[in-house]
Amino acid sequence: MRTFGLSRELWLVQIGILLNALGWGAVLPFEVIYLHDGRGFALGTAGLVVGTLTGVGILAAPAAGPLIDRFGARAVAAGSGVALAAGYAGLAAAHHEAAAFAAAAVGGAGNGALLPAQSTLLAALATPDVRHRATAVSRVSTNAGFGVGGALGGLVAGFGLTGFVALLLLNALTYLVYVGVLLAVVRGAPRPEAVPGGYRRVLRDGAFVHLVMTNVVIIAVGWGVLPWVVPPYAKSELGIDAQLIGLLLLANAATVVLAQVPVARWAEGRRRVVMMAAGASLIGGACVLCLAARPLGAGPLFVASIAIGVGECFHTAALMPLVAALAPESLRGRYMATVGFSWWIGLALAPTVGTQLLSVSASLTFSCCAGAATAAAVSMLALDRRLPVSTRLTPIPAHG
């Protein structure tokens, strides 16, 4: 029997994703604090170590694509999990800067490869008519895990260095459990016949390149503004305290948990580009709402954080299933790695460009963000005519 149209195999993988997110959510807010306060590294050095996790991830994402196409998504996802477990366990044991950088590099390689491998795996395990549902459940698992993990991390971190080390080891353990689930539950699939051209063939797909470039903008605004631009704006210009800022992020995560599955159901039979354009429009409207917080207080920020969450749901309900539909099976790993790379670029742009604009003017910052989101919505609508007809609609599952 299939629940929500997904197989038992897929549900077990989703449990592994939930555990991954729980471990990562528990440790993520405390990485710099652990290295600085717990191990005595200079603050700048601690930031560079944590930055290595992201920097190496950006480099690893494109390299993962050919590995996925050659060895399969399960193998690469499992290898990524092992690398992440080794990296975080290494950070737990790192007493010196060199050891911390080495551990961060190993973990970063796993970090960059995990997203495209996991996305490819979900696409392979789900039939085309329920890929949007598999993506929705994955998003719910991730956000629920982050929320619970963050709360757990705050409690355990209160024990000082011992607590920080325990969190890092817990995170490493969740990755190993995930690897165990993959190896025990997911059957190895035969690899499709390799085709020549590699990334050259991917970049010749004009519709896909259009999608990827627009995705960079949506990720930068939709996923980057709330965690990196809104908090300094709320604190310095509105006088909002850290606890209230934390509640803004919680409201966003809770919105995704509650809305993602209903949005995925609502997407069925509708044009994918319209879903993504609607998501970008909601995100753009949320940026305008942020400016309304000046005269009205924190209320508009809470509405904005919820609107961003709903916008994210609309975008993700269509994005990865569309990528899977566009990709030839023998190049699916490279397609997923390319769109994964666009996520990394968008996430890197948000804190760098956004905070620079914020140092000049909050009105300029949020106006630019709203304008960028609106332009992305228009770009998504323009993409429709370039897509193969068979990929334009989210399928209606055969079994309801």
Side-chain angles (χ1 to χ4, degrees), residues 8-33:
R8 174 179 174 274
E9 192 177 32
L10 257 174
W11 279 109
L12 289 172
V13 171
Q14 301 285 10
I15 291 171
I17 292 171
L18 174 67
L19 290 174
N20 263 0
L22 188 150
W24 195 29
V27 77
L28 191 63
F30 305 106
E31 290 171 345
V32 171
I33 298 171

Side-chain angles (χ1 to χ4, degrees), residues 12 31 214 218 345 370:
L12 289 172
E31 290 171 345
T214 307
I218 294 176
I345 297 300

Side-chain angles (χ1 to χ4, degrees), residues 126-272:
T127 55
D129 62 330
V130 295
R131 281 176 181 154
H132 60 290
R133 292 187 175 186
T135 300
V137 174
S138 175
R139 288 264 297 153
V140 170
S141 299
T142 300
N143 279 272
F146 267 16
V148 175
L152 175 65
L155 293 174
V156 177
F159 291 93
L161 178 59
T162 302
F164 292 140
V165 170
L167 289 175
L168 289 163
L169 293 176
L170 171 66
N171 192 29
L173 178 61
T174 62
Y175 284 119
L176 292 179
V177 172
Y178 176 64
V179 171
V181 169
L182 292 181
L183 298 180
V185 172
V186 180
R187 297 180 297 274
R191 305 273 21 96
E193 184 178 347
V195 296
Y199 275 117
R200 292 193 302 276
R201 288 196 58 182
V202 175
L203 296 176
R204 285 200 297 267
D205 186 339
F208 177 67
V209 172
H210 184 148
L211 175 65
V212 166
M213 298 299 291
T214 307
N215 188 58
V216 170
V217 178
I218 294 176
I219 297 307
V221 181
W223 274 256
V225 165
L226 188 62
W228 286 304
V229 178
V230 168
Y233 164 69
K235 186 175 186 299
S236 62
E237 299 210 17
L238 306 179
I240 294 174
D241 61 28
Q243 288 77 16
L244 204 55
I245 292 171
L247 289 177
L248 292 175
L249 300 175
L250 178 61
N252 174 262
T255 299
V256 173
V257 170
L258 295 173
Q260 187 71 73
V261 169
V263 169
R265 281 189 178 275
W266 191 79
E268 293 167 5
R270 291 181 167 83
R271 289 186 178 270
R272 284 165 164 156

